[in-house]
Amino acid sequence: MAGAIIENMSTKKLVIVGVILLLFQAFAFMVGGLIAPSPTTAVHYLATKCVDKVKKPQQTKWFMPWGEKKCVNIQSFDEAMAKGIEANNIVFAVHIPLPNKEMSPWFQFMLVILQFDIAFKMYNQIADGALVHIDVGLAYRDDMNSEWTEMAHSLEQRKLSCNFTATKTHENEGRHYECDLLPFMEVGSVAHKYYLLNIRLPVNERKKINVGIGEIKDIRLVGIHQNGGFTKVWFAMKTFLTPSILIIMIWYWRRITLMSRPPVLLEKVILALGISMTFINIPVEWFSVGFNWTWMLLFGDIRQGIFYSMLLSFWIIFCGEHLMDQTERNRFSIYWKQVGPIVFGSFCLFIFDMCERGVQLKNPFYSIWASDIGTELAMAFIIVAGICACLYFLFLCFMVFQVFRNISGKRMSLPAMTKARQLHYEGLIFRFKFLMLVTLACAALTVIFFIISQVNEGHWHRGEHMVQVNSAFFTGIYGMWNLYVFAIMFLYAPSHKHYGDEQSSIQCITGDAGVNSCEDIQPTTTITHVDGPTEIYKMIGQEAQE
């Protein structure tokens, strides 16, 4: 009969395993900090004002801001008025990327933020709640000589949020408003080398379209994409870690199935955790380099959501199984009050993501942040998600505290045991407590990573200053998840050390008088075989048995 590796492996070997895992953890942070560049890059663009001489503008005609086929452009709207050019015949053209550069599938996604430069005029001020109606088209091509191919076209609205810091007098005419950046476009795949945006601001005074939006001078865009160097490091980590977790998971479950008893709930949940880690590890992103899979961002969010829900549920069950008595443990239904909110929260996260990136599969210019209700809903979601993550961590700390208190109560019976058995249980308790503290540290970093990710994405879409998250944090947290799952499956796998009914583990100690005394302790035979994976599992649930 076999116990778990965490209790049967010698202290020296456990220390060696711990040091190796710690070195890999340090290496995961160093990969992001020393090798990978920053995760994202922001590039600023100034739209060129092209003139469409056709009286009835056609969207199928594309205007290039520079190059051999560049459009006829003007420098300002004053020049347009002097030449009798109407606002409906002006097209703001932006070529992505800048001249002498090209986009790459390694960039993974492209997020574009919009900003208007609006001058103050006494006779043309920005009205309260002003909406800008935007007629925008997106085209692509893969070489500088081919024709542009339309990728998307949409009629969008964006609400202006501008402040004029000076007094509104004639002397201050010409000074610019301070306007917030606006969410504009998000594409889940960068499969082409060149992109072209043509933006029109159609004016219709009768229908009150683009009336009361001030005197727009320029349109500026900020393009955000993932760094190609970071993508390659990220893919390399996934490619390396996938077989590692897959192999340990198969090895772990094979050892479980070789046992004469059926697997307990804790062992099943550990397997489910390994499966979810393998699912998020599989580097399907390699295909996004060769295929135009615009759904990769959504798919990545779904994978991460599944892993989050599984990891959070595992921690609850892991602690709970060491608190329940024998009549309650090994029943998943006992945890519905704790796991239910996690599943519900993950489902809400999925619905929110579908409302944003799901719609963007059809219309990349759609954004839930574009409306007041959508912005309030999105901000409420981020705030509630952050609060729930913090409450979850506090609840997990409380459960760990209960487990430790329960262990302290059981330790009261240790002095009644012989010295050899007492030392044995002291060692098991120390190992288990250390693992619980590592679990808490992992949970804390996971909660911090989740909150920062949500806040950072919110800042992207709202156009605020972005939170600078270093690559080392991304690679370090990702490496930590893999190492933690690896360690749990390794330590809770049944040991290869077997003790027969006629054999026992003999431990000897040296007394005060120098006399050796030995005791048959059989630490992990019948207890582990009947009730669960480890002695601590048995010991905490019921009274410690001699």
Side-chain angles (χ1 to χ4, degrees), residues 59-119:
Q59 188 61 39
T60 53
K61 182 179 179 181
W62 298 99
F63 294 85
M64 268 284 291
W66 46 263
E68 295 181 0
K69 298 180 180 179
K70 68 178 181 179
C71 64
V72 177
N73 62 76
I74 55 175
Q75 297 300 317
S76 65
F77 281 92
D78 293 334
E79 181 183 346
M81 294 179 63
K83 295 181 178 180
I85 301 172
E86 298 181 358
N88 289 328
N89 294 107
I90 295 177
V91 179
F92 293 88
V94 178
H95 187 280
I96 302 175
L98 296 171
N100 301 320
K101 296 182 181 294
E102 62 182 40
M103 303 298 281
S104 168
W106 293 102
F107 294 164
Q108 293 294 286
F109 69 89
M110 180 169 56
L111 178 69
V112 179
I113 306 297
L114 174 70
Q115 184 179 34
F116 291 104
D117 287 348
I118 303 177

Side-chain angles (χ1 to χ4, degrees), residues 4 14 39 57 60 121 148 187 239 252 287-288 293 313 349 420 508 530 532 542:
L14 275 180
T60 53
K121 294 290 183 180
W148 292 100
V187 179
T239 304
Y252 163 79
F287 292 101
S288 66
W293 288 355
S313 300
L349 178 65
C508 300
V530 174
Q542 292 183 341

Side-chain angles (χ1 to χ4, degrees), residues 272-306:
L273 181 64
I275 293 174
S276 65
M277 190 76 255
T278 303
F279 183 54
I280 199 175
N281 277 345
I282 297 175
V284 294
E285 291 87 350
W286 283 111
F287 292 101
S288 66
V289 179
F291 298 92
N292 186 18
W293 288 355
T294 56
W295 44 266
M296 281 302 299
L297 274 180
L298 179 61
F299 181 63
D301 288 345
I302 293 173
R303 289 200 299 173
Q304 190 159 347
I306 292 173

Side-chain angles (χ1 to χ4, degrees), residues 318-319 321-323 329 399-415 417 425-437 492 534-544:
F318 180 63
C319 293
E321 284 295 281
H322 290 91
L323 287 173
R329 61 169 44 160
M399 291 191 72
V400 173
F401 170 75
Q402 283 187 310
V403 173
F404 281 9
R405 186 176 63 177
N406 204 10
I407 292 177
S408 298
K410 302 298 183 182
R411 292 180 66 179
M412 299 296 292
S413 61
L414 295 185
M417 300 179 184
Y425 277 108
E426 288 284 358
L428 293 185
I429 290 171
F430 174 78
R431 293 181 182 190
F432 179 75
K433 281 189 171 183
F434 184 78
L435 180 61
M436 294 296 285
L437 292 176
Y492 271 77
T534 64
E535 274 192 273
I536 295 296
Y537 181 89
K538 169 67 177 179
M539 174 184 172
I540 300 178
Q542 292 183 341
E543 293 296 323

Side-chain angles (χ1 to χ4, degrees), residues 177-191:
Y177 287 89
E178 293 183 0
C179 295
D180 292 342
L181 292 161
L182 303 171
F184 187 55
M185 182 187 77
E186 185 170 16
V187 179
S189 173
V190 189

Side-chain angles (χ1 to χ4, degrees), residues 221-241:
L221 300 177
V222 180
I224 302 169
H225 60 78
Q226 187 165 294
N227 270 326
F230 177 81
T231 304
K232 293 175 182 178
V233 171
W234 191 254
F235 287 6
M237 283 191 68
K238 280 177 167 284
T239 304
F240 171 76
L241 291 171

